[in-house]
Amino acid sequence: MSTHKFEHPLNEKTRIYLRVEALLNQMDRACQTADGIQHQLLFRSLFDLLDIFEQMQLKSELAKDIEKQRQTYRQWIDIDGVDQQMLTSLLQEIDSVHRCLLAGERFGQSLKDDRFLSTIRQRFNLPGGSCCFDLPALHYWLHLSSEQKQLDIKQWVATLQPLSDALALWLKLTRETGHFRALMAQDGFYQSDAEDANILRLSIPLEYGVYPMISGHKNRFAIKFIDFSSGKASSQNIPFDLAVCS
C-alpha cells in the first residue's frame, strides 16, 4: 500500500528545527549540480537560514537540547539489558557533536561578513530580484568556472557543518523515541494526549486522498483529515500509523 509521510512539530522551537533541516537539505541538493537555477535555490535557502539565525539564539538552544539528550542517555549506563557498547558509542558521538557545536562560531557570522553574499542578499527578497540587471554580481558569479563556484560553495557550507551535525543528531534521537502504532481516525478525526512530545510522525495511505491538519501542543493534539479534492473535512474512517516523539 502506498503511503505519504507527514511530520508536525508540537512546539515552536521544534518547528524552527524542522524548517532549518529542510533548508539544509535544499542547500545540499543545490550543491550537487552546476545548474544556475539550482544555485539560486542555494542562495535562497542560505539567506532564509540567516533570517532564522537573526530571530533566534539557535546555537545556545540546540546546545542545551543536545545536553539534555546526553543526560538522558547517561542514565542508562550500567543498566541491565542495555547494550553498553552501543550506548558508549552514542555518548561519544553526542560528546563530539556537542563539543564542535560549542567551539564553532555563532551560526551565520562568517556568512553575514562575506562581501559577495552581503551584496546579493540585499536584493534577493525582491520579486524576481535575481535578474542580471538587479544583481550583476550574482550574474558574474554564475559565469565563473565550475571549480571556482564549488570552492566558494564548500567554504560557505563548511561554516554550517556544526549546526548540520548537531541538528541531525538531535532530530535522529528525537524521532527514534517514537514507535509507530496503527490507529483509526473515526469520521476523519483523531485526538489524543501526549507527554512533553516534540514531533508527530504520520504515515497515511494515499488511496484515501486526504492530508492531515494538526493542532495542539506538547501534551495534547488533534488531527483532522482533509479531502484533497474538495478541500473539506473528510467523513471517512481513515487508518493511519502514528508515532509520538519526545
Side-chain angles (χ1 to χ4, degrees):
M1 179 183 297
S2 297
T3 62
H4 68 96
K5 312 295 183 182
F6 191 90
E7 287 189 334
H8 186 82
L10 290 176
N11 57 68
E12 186 58 28
K13 184 163 59 176
T14 304
R15 185 184 302 273
I16 292 174
Y17 285 172
L18 291 176
R19 286 173 178 163
V20 171
E21 179 191 43
L23 290 170
L24 290 172
N25 287 338
Q26 288 177 18
M27 287 181 58
D28 184 62
R29 292 277 186 95
C31 288
Q32 298 175 19
T33 176
D35 180 69
I37 298 299
Q38 289 298 313
H39 283 152
Q40 292 190 37
L41 175 60
L42 166 69
F43 292 121
R44 165 52 55 210
S45 301
L46 191 61
F47 297 149
D48 283 350
L49 281 174
L50 291 179
D51 289 341
I52 291 175
F53 297 158
E54 292 172 357
Q55 296 167 9
M56 176 184 180
Q57 295 295 324
L58 191 61
K59 179 179 178 179
S60 60
E61 291 297 326
L62 188 53
K64 287 188 291 186
D65 286 336
I66 292 289
E67 176 61 25
K68 288 179 183 178
Q69 288 181 328
R70 176 163 56 184
Q71 295 303 325
T72 296
Y73 284 101
R74 278 180 173 172
Q75 296 174 14
W76 293 96
I77 295 177
D78 296 330
I79 299 297
D80 290 341
V82 175
D83 187 329
Q84 294 298 312
Q85 184 176 357
M86 182 180 296
L87 179 61
T88 298
S89 177
L90 175 59
L91 286 171
Q92 289 174 345
E93 181 182 4
I94 294 175
D95 288 343
S96 176
V97 166
H98 190 257
R99 186 167 54 252
C100 291
L101 179 64
L102 293 179
E105 66 175 27
R106 182 178 178 179
F107 293 157
Q109 187 59 53
S110 62
L111 297 174
K112 290 175 64 177
D113 294 339
D114 185 283
R115 182 185 58 80
F116 169 67
L117 294 179
S118 297
T119 299
I120 66 173
R121 185 186 179 193
Q122 296 174 6
R123 300 187 66 85
F124 224 85
N125 286 330
L126 291 174
S130 59
C131 292
C132 62
F133 51 84
D134 281 313
L135 287 177
L138 173 62
H139 185 69
Y140 178 86
W141 185 88
L142 290 172
H143 285 79
L144 293 176
S145 67
S146 296
E147 293 77 11
Q148 181 59 55
K149 286 186 290 186
Q150 283 302 314
L151 179 61
D152 289 340
I153 290 171
K154 286 181 180 179
Q155 291 176 340
W156 297 330
V157 171
T159 67
L160 298 174
Q161 198 61 52
L163 163 64
S164 180
D165 292 342
L167 184 61
L169 179 61
W170 187 86
L171 286 171
K172 173 179 176 290
L173 296 178
T174 298
R175 286 167 172 142
E176 288 177 352
T177 64
H179 303 283
F180 281 100
R181 295 185 298 140
L183 299 170
M184 180 70 70
Q186 299 291 338
D187 298 323
F189 182 78
Y190 178 84
Q191 63 180 349
S192 182
D193 296 328
E195 185 175 346
D196 291 329
N198 287 303
I199 302 174
L200 298 181
R201 306 183 70 198
L202 289 77
S203 180
I204 308 163
L206 277 171
E207 64 185 84
Y208 288 87
V210 297
Y211 59 88
M213 294 292 290
I214 301 175
S215 59
H217 49 78
K218 63 181 181 179
N219 294 320
R220 187 167 181 80
F221 61 90
I223 305 171
K224 179 168 64 175
F225 288 95
I226 306 299
D227 183 86
F228 179 77
S229 298
S230 67
K232 297 180 180 179
S234 175
S235 59
Q236 302 178 79
N237 292 336
I238 300 169
F240 68 103
D241 294 333
L242 174 69
V244 181
C245 308
S246 300

